[in-house]
Amino acid sequence: MITRQICLSGSTLDEDFLDGTYDLEHHSDIGVKYSSVTGYKITYSDRITNFVGGSWRIAKNNSPYTLYYANPSRAETLPQTGWVSIESGDYTGVVTLSACNGDYEPVISITPSPTPSSTPAPTPTPTPTPSVSYAGGLKYTHNKLTEYVVVKGVPTINYVSHLNIKPDDSYNILLTGYSLNYTTSVYLSCNNDAYPMSEVQSPNPGQFTNFMGYKIDYSIVSENELIVSIPASQVESILDIVVVTPAGYGKLNPTYHPVSTEWVHHNLQHSTIKSIN
């Protein structure tokens, strides 16, 4: 069930900045987005995993797109309870499936499916069955019509196992996302001199700029999982992790270009890591 409007009403001063009516702005197989005139948004997409394992988030609707609350629900129907802040506090306000002035807008269906249009069935043209050589096993089970396409995508990170770490300790941190099996190197990038960073050449200069980083060890688990090793440091800092593949690189700190599609295509990444005592 997707309602056209949502009302948030906080119960504390820490919550009431999000108060107001959120209007349905986007609804497709990519996800759902509600936005308020005060500059905040509520989004759902099954292409992301937030820091509590769900698909719903409440965040700022413009740069720096600050994430305030997440929900463990992965259902497309808006959850009215169970919202958790980035500091692990509960949202104690009220979520109503209507406008704040009490007006109720009709619901619309769960993710729309395209309506098929009837088209005449074409008359099939007989084609010869191509021959297939099995002489060398699976490696040669193809024919001259086979097209080879190697795709090595830009990595996207949508979950990190640790949001807060101690600078005096070392950590093995799990990242999940997409195209992580093509990883060729991993770097730490920080807001100070906690690690000795140097300029790293972009693997794809046409689309990605060089960046400053400190190379760290990593282990590929699968296409969707990567373990990175963060060494100890004596300095508190804000850490970003940069995962490099032949196609480019992905970071915890997201980028938002183009602006018109940032929430569905680029706003999948997690937040940066705080290394504090």
Side-chain angles (χ1 to χ4, degrees):
M1 180 179 69
I2 305 298
T3 59
R4 296 189 182 277
Q5 292 180 312
I6 293 168
C7 176
L8 263 60
S9 178
S11 61
T12 68
L13 292 176
D14 292 337
E15 298 173 346
D16 60 10
F17 71 97
L18 295 171
D19 287 2
T21 295
Y22 291 70
D23 296 302
L24 181 64
E25 182 178 317
H26 180 96
H27 178 225
S28 71
D29 59 350
I30 296 174
V32 180
K33 177 183 179 181
Y34 295 89
S35 61
S36 70
V37 296
T38 54
Y40 301 100
K41 63 181 178 180
I42 303 172
T43 60
Y44 162 86
S45 177
D46 60 7
R47 302 187 185 189
I48 72 164
T49 302
N50 60 38
F51 62 88
V52 288
S55 299
W56 285 93
R57 297 188 293 179
I58 300 175
K60 192 173 178 64
N61 198 23
N62 48 62
S63 182
Y65 303 93
T66 307
L67 175 62
Y68 299 109
Y69 290 93
N71 197 286
S73 173
R74 297 199 70 87
E76 193 177 16
T77 299
L78 176 77
Q80 294 177 260
T81 59
W83 293 92
V84 181
S85 73
I86 198 75
E87 293 85 13
S88 300
D90 294 330
Y91 179 76
T92 59
V94 177
V95 180
T96 307
L97 303 182
S98 64
C100 291
N101 59 10
D103 293 341
Y104 181 78
E105 291 286 344
V107 301
I108 61 178
S109 64
I110 295 295
T111 301
S113 300
T115 303
S117 57
S118 58
T119 55
T123 303
T125 302
T127 56
T129 301
S131 60
V132 179
S133 170
Y134 296 95
L138 184 60
K139 180 178 179 181
Y140 296 100
T141 56
H142 62 274
N143 54 66
K144 64 181 181 180
L145 300 181
T146 301
E147 178 182 2
Y148 282 94
V149 179
V150 178
V151 178
K152 293 189 176 181
V154 176
T156 297
I157 304 168
N158 59 23
Y159 175 79
V160 57
S161 60
H162 293 66
L163 288 174
N164 297 281
I165 62 176
K166 301 291 184 181
D168 297 336
D169 297 328
S170 60
Y171 291 82
N172 287 325
I173 290 181
L174 172 67
L175 307 179
T176 68
Y178 305 98
S179 299
L180 300 179
N181 55 317
Y182 298 120
T183 300
T184 56
S185 56
V186 179
Y187 295 84
L188 284 181
S189 182
C190 54
N191 64 335
N192 52 23
D193 59 355
Y195 297 92
M197 296 185 295
S198 58
E199 185 175 16
V200 180
Q201 298 296 313
S202 170
N204 183 1
Q207 295 182 304
F208 292 83
T209 60
N210 296 348
F211 63 91
M212 299 297 292
Y214 173 74
K215 196 169 187 178
I216 59 174
D217 294 331
Y218 67 93
S219 176
I220 297 173
V221 180
S222 68
E223 177 184 357
N224 306 115
E225 295 177 306
L226 184 73
I227 294 175
V228 300
S229 299
I230 298 183
S233 170
Q234 303 302 314
V235 181
E236 295 185 347
S237 62
I238 304 298
L239 301 178
D240 197 356
I241 298 175
V242 186
V243 178
V244 180
T245 71
Y249 54 80
K251 305 187 294 182
L252 299 183
N253 190 26
T255 54
Y256 301 95
H257 300 286
V259 174
S260 61
T261 57
E262 95 286 341
W263 83 274
V264 291
H265 292 297
H266 294 270
N267 193 8
L268 300 178
Q269 293 93 328
H270 212 264
S271 58
T272 48
I273 298 172
K274 293 180 181 179
S275 179
I276 55 176
N277 286 310

